[in-house]
Amino acid sequence: MNIQKIRKNVKKYLDEKRYNHVERVAKCAVELSKIYGTDPLKAETAGILHDVAKFFEIPRMLDLVRGKYPEIENKIFWTNAILHGFAGAEFVAKNYDLFEVDDDDIFSAIKYHTIGSENMTTLPKIIYLADAIEEKRDWDGVETARKLAKEDLDLAIKFEIDRKLEYLLERDSVIHPNIIKFRNSILK
Ligand SMILES: [Fe+2]
Ligand SMILES: [Fe+2]
């Protein structure tokens, strides 16, 4: 993996603000990888790549994911928030010449960084959490989540999911079942 080449190519798809966010996620993911014993280079790579499809139009995202994922077949899930992870993973997998990434753990981390999934391994969990707690994130409870993140990865994620569910319920938003499955898999 050539992280500088990945950085250069990811930059082409993001604006400056979003690019700075992915750098902060990568930094946070590296810190967490050291605590939880996963490969820091993989954590950095997944952090840089996780939002690569964030600015794709919905039809482009659908072209990338069509027919591949039963969990996003229902049209109610065709939102930027839900699709950009799946589309990003497919985009990276399809463009080996740009990113030189062929790693299921990294693909999974990109795919599930917004809605989670059942039985996530450590790297996807780290990217999920790093996305929510990177240093510029500012939501009610983020300080608690940052503190928990250093002590217990699952507990920190459960704390974040619970706040996220409250937020979504208050706004009458669509809730993807994966987030509930993710939460249940942590409770087990
Ligand atoms: Fe994202
Ligand atoms: Fe993100």
Side-chain angles (χ1 to χ4, degrees):
M1 267 179 308
N2 178 343
I3 190 85
Q4 293 316 333
K5 181 175 173 183
I6 292 171
R7 283 192 159 89
K8 193 184 90 193
N9 283 316
V10 165
K11 262 184 197 160
K12 294 177 188 162
Y13 297 96
L14 301 177
D15 66 12
E16 198 185 345
K17 191 172 161 221
R18 180 64 49 168
Y19 183 76
N20 291 337
H21 158 73
V22 305
E23 283 287 356
R24 291 191 299 272
V25 171
K27 184 179 164 216
C28 181
V30 168
E31 286 164 16
L32 293 174
S33 76
K34 287 175 184 161
I35 302 174
Y36 296 106
T38 56
D39 181 347
L41 181 60
K42 273 202 202 186
E44 187 174 16
T45 304
I48 298 289
L49 285 167
H50 82 280
D51 270 343
V52 71
K54 183 71 186 174
F55 294 141
F56 289 5
E57 301 288 341
I58 299 284
R60 186 177 186 187
M61 294 196 203
L62 289 172
D63 280 347
L64 284 160
V65 303
R66 204 176 310 273
K68 289 183 177 144
Y69 303 104
E71 63 211 298
I72 46 171
E73 244 162 46
N74 191 324
K75 280 185 182 174
I76 60 166
F77 301 133
W78 292 0
T79 62
N80 178 292
I82 292 170
L83 290 177
H84 78 274
F86 290 84
E90 288 298 325
F91 184 69
V92 172
K94 267 179 98 171
N95 291 282
Y96 186 84
D97 55 323
L98 296 180
F99 307 107
E100 295 173 20
V101 169
D102 183 14
D103 183 293
D104 285 341
D105 234 15
I106 295 178
F107 293 148
S108 215
I110 302 169
K111 201 176 294 170
Y112 294 120
H113 79 268
T114 52
I115 57 171
S117 166
E118 261 175 312
N119 307 317
M120 299 249 277
T121 55
T122 306
L123 181 72
K125 280 182 179 175
I126 282 175
I127 297 301
Y128 176 90
L129 187 61
D131 189 35
I133 65 168
E134 55 94 336
E135 59 195 38
K136 289 249 165 91
R137 289 290 197 203
D138 183 20
W139 43 274
D140 261 355
V142 70
E143 285 304 335
T144 306
R146 286 184 186 121
K147 188 173 165 287
L148 285 172
K150 294 191 182 109
E151 297 158 6
D152 186 323
L153 184 61
D154 280 349
L155 212 59
I157 290 172
K158 189 193 155 307
F159 177 85
E160 190 278 343
I161 292 175
D162 289 353
R163 302 292 86 69
K164 183 181 274 176
L165 289 174
E166 285 168 3
Y167 177 92
L168 293 170
L169 287 170
E170 271 166 24
R171 281 156 188 78
D172 232 3
S173 300
V174 167
I175 296 175
H176 195 285
N178 271 35
I179 195 75
I180 307 293
K181 289 180 185 171
F182 187 21
R183 186 178 186 278
N184 287 341
S185 73
I186 284 171
L187 295 177
K188 265 193 278 186

